[in-house]
Amino acid sequence: EEMRQNMEELMATQEEIARKGEELKSFIDAIDSSSICVASLTESGNFISANQAFLKTFKIASESEIKGKPYTMFCPAQYTETEEYRTVLAPIGNHADYNGEFERIDALGNALYFMGSFKIDKKYDQSIQKIWWIAADTTSQKKLLKQLLTKKKA
């Protein structure tokens, strides 16, 4: 009797895991089909992967073009030497998330603007497994705001 009960509990657990897996897959599919840019990075900041929205926004033909390369390749020149850059790195270095606005450049050198987060994915021992960069492209809003401010000054 006890063995039958254990088997039923095991089957129920397996069914719940399968349901959760389907929910997670559906959630990931929703993000991938949205305009949200998502990239995963190593602890040292090199690309592991990027979704289609990221590739399209940054004008990258395929993920293989960026895999293993540094995330900073999309930062404006000399950005990595600024206090702002160190402000972003400090929480990440301390295994904490960072939220904010980011200016980046696409593969053609065009300025892009984002509102997003660096989220730390930790292993069971609390070391960094990977870093997620999740962001919404706010470039068109930023450009419109600049135009409005320029007109207001004139």
Side-chain angles (χ1 to χ4, degrees), residues 65-116:
E65 291 181 41
I66 60 170
K67 198 170 241 169
K69 293 185 178 170
Y71 170 80
T72 53
M73 67 190 274
F74 295 113
C75 292
Q78 289 83 41
Y79 174 73
T80 57
E81 299 166 16
T82 66
E83 185 61 34
E84 181 183 346
Y85 181 72
R86 286 186 285 282
T87 301
V88 172
L89 281 187
I92 295 169
N94 292 324
H95 296 202
D97 299 336
Y98 180 84
N99 303 305
E101 292 185 66
F102 308 98
E103 179 182 357
R104 299 294 179 257
I105 54 171
D106 67 18
L108 304 177
N110 302 309
L112 300 171
Y113 300 92
F114 297 90
M115 179 67 71

